[in-house]
Amino acid sequence: ASKKRSRQQSHYQFASTRYQMDYEGQKLCENLFYWIILIFGAIGWVKGYIEQDFAYVFYAWSVGMVISVILCVPDWPSFNR
């Protein structure tokens, strides 16, 4: 039982250190998140202003949120340097 436990512990240690985002990756991820939200919000605001409908702002912002969550929440290997 102790061998099995030590293998599990070593596996968890390896898995936890294998994909850890460093500070540069966090900075890149935060900037990416910020710019995606800003760009989609601005595009939605312009489209909403032209159409006189606030729903376009919300839709564009929502699409930006989904894209940024997909890109920024998982610890992608490109964020680990």
Side-chain angles (χ1 to χ4, degrees), residues 49-80:
Y49 183 78
I50 292 169
E51 298 292 327
Q52 293 294 305
D53 189 2
F54 187 75
Y56 288 111
V57 180
F58 178 72
Y59 295 147
W61 180 81
S62 297
V63 169
M65 281 296 292
V66 168
I67 290 171
S68 62
V69 164
I70 290 170
L71 292 176
C72 295
V73 170
D75 191 14
W76 297 108
S78 61
F79 295 132
N80 307 327

Side-chain angles (χ1 to χ4, degrees), residues 2-48:
S2 66
K3 284 186 177 184
K4 185 176 182 181
R5 186 177 300 137
S6 65
R7 276 192 227 146
Q8 287 176 340
Q9 287 174 344
S10 65
H11 173 71
Y12 292 137
Q13 278 182 327
F14 175 73
S16 66
T17 58
R18 187 173 165 199
Y19 298 113
Q20 285 187 347
M21 188 183 300
D22 61 354
Y23 292 115
E24 292 297 320
Q26 289 177 359
K27 183 179 177 183
L28 173 65
C29 187
E30 184 178 348
N31 286 336
L32 183 65
F33 182 82
Y34 173 78
W35 284 106
I36 289 171
I37 297 299
L38 185 70
I39 290 169
F40 274 84
I43 291 170
W45 186 84
V46 169
K47 176 71 173 169

